[in-house]
Structures are given as structure tokens and as C-alpha cells.
Amino acid sequence: MKEKILILGGGVIGLATAFSLSRRNYDVTVLEKNQCGGQASGAAAGMLAPFSEISEDPDPFFLFCLDSLRMFKKWQQDVKETSGMDFEYTESGSIHAVYHESDTLPLESRIAWQKKFGSQAEIIEGAQLTSLEPNLSDEVIAGIYSDEESHVFAPDYVKALKAACEKNGVSIVDNLKKVRIKKWASAPVLEAESGRTFTGDTLVVCSGAWSGELEAVFNIRIPVYPIRGQICAYDRGAETVNHIITTSQGYLVPKSNGTLINGASEDIAGFNTEVTDKGISRLVNWNSRILPFLKEKSPFHTWAGLRPATQDGFPLIGPLKDHPHIIFAAGHYRNGILLSPVTGEAVADYISGKQIDDHYRTAFQPERFT
């Protein structure tokens, strides 16, 4: 009889975990109180950019992100083939832009340590910079060009991931409103607001920004907090943008449908996902310093999502020490899309009894705050 796995949470991490487990012949059920991918996952810009996101010296989180980036090309092909659905996956490369001479030395230091991990990044300036991005502002004096970074169109990726799960026999039950963990010390039992119950052998907690609500259930500290990220989108029209462009202020990501995603302003607002004038104005006030043509444009769409931040910046991935049938996969903050393949495979490895890298096992241990 197949081992039954319950996954609490149908965001990109929950779906990726379900997909990985389904390919290893487990009986998987995903439980989602709202719609799958309806929170941070569907709101994401879809960047696969660990070299741009992490500027300091490498740590286990960076290495985990890098592993996932290098898994993504094969992973996204598998999702497309299984689901029968297409979605944008663009190996665009990225440019991290700077404005001042004083910012160039940190770029050199950054490239030096990143090259140890296979990065082919280089500092570009002048005509080379203009050649790669003709619409870039004259204020930008230099940048790091990385050809390895990529992006996906997150809403379509999540839809395809859900379809791939269903094609592989995963049961997805969403719009449950509330899901309560009734029993977990042995075989887990979960109950929806309607009274419907779900039983399994193993429970995987993929509750994103809501994971902290389970502290009282498991009697451990779960310092996962919602951070509101506000994003806007422009119609590029005839203007060309070729790469992910990042600065110290945020990012711009061109999509194949002609839109340009600009993000993200961040603030602490509890579980409020309303878009604010202040949040969007933070983006509008700097983006024309990167791409001057944006001065003449206004966003046609604005939205917000809740990012699951942790106290130390590392996700919670792995089993509880005394209850190995309870596994966490939560707290991925801004990198849920990027980390979906490596997290799904890591959870499947835990359940399958395969060896996990000791650095990851220790760094992401879910009870490390207790």
C-alpha cells in the first residue's frame, strides 16, 4: 500500500513538493484553504536570480538557491511535458546596475566570490552596457552581467505545476477556507471547516506566511512573518528591455507578453494585501532612473503578495526531530519560485530516506529557534 502524504498549503512550494513525491509513486493530497498559488506564488515576478539576490559571501541559503537554479531548466521541461501546458521560461541573463564609481569596488568583490561557484559574470560599462541594454539610463555607469540567471511567468508556471500534479494522480482539494490539524503525534488527521477530514502517514507543512499560526499546535517556535511585497506592471510598447535589471532599489523583469514587471516595495502590514499609493510610488519614483522611457508611462496593473520571511532569513525545511512524519517546507521569503524544484526534491528525499546535505539539514532545521 502506498504511503499517504498530506501537504498543507497549495502555493508553489506545496505544489512542487507534491509533484516531486508523485514522481516517486506516493499517494499525495494537497490541502489549500484558498486557491492554489493564490498568495505569494501567483504574485511573484518569477526571477531565478541567486547571483543578483545574494550579494554577500555565500552561505547554505545561497548554495541551495544555486542548486535550484541549475535544476530549473530540466525541471520546467518536466512540468511542461507532464502538464501538457506551456509557460514562459526565459534564460535572459541579468544586469545589476550601479550609478557611482564608489559602487564598482563591491561589484569586483562580488564577482570574485561568485566565480568560485561557476559564475561567468563580468563587469560591463560604456558601449558594452549600451549594447546589451540600449534603453538604459546614462546615469548607470556600470553593472554586473550574469548570463546564467533566468525568469518564468509565475502565474502560468503555478497553473502548469498544479496540472502536472493532477496528471500524476495528486488529489488537490482547495477552497477549504480553514484547515485544522486535529492529530499529528502519530498518523496526522486534518479537518476542513466543512468537517471533512483527511488522514495520512506523513504531513508536509507548506503554509507559507501563515506557518507561524502553527506554533501552538506543534509547541515549537515558528518565526515566519508576512512581508507585503507590492509590484506594478507596465506595457513596454515598442521599447526594448532584454535582461532582468536589478539595482539596490529593486528590479525590472521583461516578459514575452510585452509587459515589464517592476518590484518590489516591502512593508509590514500583517496579512493585508491591499495595494497602497505609497508602496507603488516607491517603485515609480526610481524606475525611470534605470529606464527613462518609464517617465512617460504609468503602470497598468498593481498588486501585492505576502512573502514568508523568517527570523534568520533561512527557510524551514526538514522533519521534526521526535516526529519525523511531520516535515516543514516553509519560509522561502522572496525565493519561492526559484526554490521550488530543490525544495520539492529535498522533501521527497527526506520522505524516501535519502541522504540530505548536512549543511542544508542543519541550516534549515525547523526546530532551530526552539
Side-chain angles (χ1 to χ4, degrees):
M1 191 171 179
K2 293 182 182 179
E3 184 175 346
K4 295 179 67 175
I5 314 295
L6 298 179
I7 296 178
L8 181 58
V12 71
I13 296 299
L15 292 173
T17 299
F19 183 57
S20 289
L21 288 166
S22 71
R23 298 202 289 177
R24 303 193 195 191
N25 205 34
Y26 288 96
D27 181 344
V28 184
T29 299
V30 176
L31 306 176
E32 169 56 45
K33 60 183 180 179
N34 297 307
Q35 287 188 327
C36 285
Q39 299 299 326
S41 302
M47 292 192 299
L48 313 175
F51 292 114
S52 293
E53 285 272 354
I54 302 166
S55 60
E56 304 300 327
D57 289 342
D59 56 24
F61 182 67
F62 166 76
L63 297 174
F64 202 56
C65 289
L66 185 59
D67 285 350
S68 208
L69 171 66
R70 290 172 176 167
M71 291 172 63
F72 219 104
K73 187 168 187 174
K74 174 67 165 58
W75 170 270
Q76 59 90 27
Q77 289 174 339
D78 291 346
V79 173
K80 287 174 179 176
E81 289 173 5
T82 305
S83 67
M85 297 173 65
D86 197 16
F87 55 85
E88 179 183 1
Y89 166 72
T90 301
E91 295 177 300
S92 61
S94 65
I95 295 174
H96 179 76
V98 298
Y99 298 95
H100 306 290
E101 291 288 346
S102 60
D103 294 324
T104 58
L105 183 59
L107 295 188
E108 293 172 1
S109 299
R110 188 165 164 175
I111 282 180
W113 72 258
Q114 290 183 352
K115 281 187 178 295
K116 297 176 183 177
F117 298 93
S119 170
Q120 301 299 312
E122 58 181 324
I123 295 177
I124 56 173
E125 51 192 353
Q128 189 179 13
L129 190 58
T130 304
S131 174
L132 288 174
E133 282 296 343
N135 283 313
L136 209 60
S137 169
D138 291 340
E139 292 186 61
V140 176
I141 66 163
I144 292 179
Y145 169 60
S146 173
D147 65 355
E148 192 173 358
E149 299 194 315
S150 313
H151 60 92
V152 297
F153 188 69
D156 287 351
Y157 168 53
V158 173
K159 289 175 186 175
L161 198 50
K162 179 183 178 184
C165 288
E166 292 175 324
K167 288 282 182 70
N168 278 357
V170 174
S171 175
I172 296 179
V173 189
D174 55 8
N175 294 306
L176 291 173
K177 296 182 180 178
K178 291 182 180 179
V179 182
R180 182 170 68 95
I181 300 174
K182 288 186 65 176
K183 177 184 173 183
W184 64 273
S186 54
V189 179
L190 279 66
E191 182 180 53
E193 186 177 74
S194 65
R196 183 179 177 185
T197 59
F198 303 88
T199 61
D201 301 301
T202 296
L203 171 64
V204 185
V205 177
C206 302
S207 301
W210 287 263
S211 300
E213 296 177 349
L214 300 175
E215 281 193 339
V217 174
F218 297 114
N219 195 31
I220 61 172
R221 285 197 65 224
I222 308 174
V224 178
Y225 313 102
I227 302 294
R228 180 170 60 184
Q230 299 188 56
I231 305 176
C232 63
Y234 291 85
D235 182 350
R236 294 202 307 276
E239 305 291 353
T240 299
V241 182
N242 298 317
H243 305 83
I244 299 169
I245 304 174
T246 64
T247 76
S248 60
Q249 300 297 308
Y251 57 79
L252 293 152
V253 186
K255 299 298 181 180
S256 61
N257 63 4
T259 62
L260 183 67
I261 308 300
N262 181 196
S265 65
E266 296 187 341
D267 62 346
I268 298 172
F271 292 95
N272 182 355
T273 56
E274 291 181 4
V275 175
T276 66
D277 290 340
K278 183 178 180 181
I280 298 302
S281 66
R282 287 177 187 167
L283 304 175
V284 173
N285 289 341
W286 70 262
N287 61 33
S288 62
R289 288 195 64 206
I290 293 292
L291 297 172
F293 71 79
L294 292 177
K295 285 182 181 179
E296 309 303 321
K297 293 181 177 287
S298 297
F300 72 87
H301 183 41
T302 60
W303 68 98
L306 299 176
R307 296 167 164 183
T310 63
Q311 183 175 311
D312 62 2
F314 288 4
L316 280 61
I317 303 173
L320 300 185
K321 293 175 183 176
D322 296 329
H323 300 279
H325 61 288
I326 305 297
I327 297 175
F328 273 76
H332 292 72
Y333 190 36
R334 302 189 305 190
N335 292 284
I337 300 293
L338 167 61
L339 289 171
S340 53
V342 73
T343 300
E345 290 297 292
V347 172
D349 284 347
Y350 273 118
I351 292 173
S352 302
K354 291 189 175 181
Q355 183 64 35
I356 305 294
D357 187 292
D358 286 341
H359 289 94
Y360 298 154
R361 182 184 293 273
T362 301
F364 306 149
Q365 212 285 324
E367 292 167 281
R368 63 186 183 270
F369 303 103
T370 299

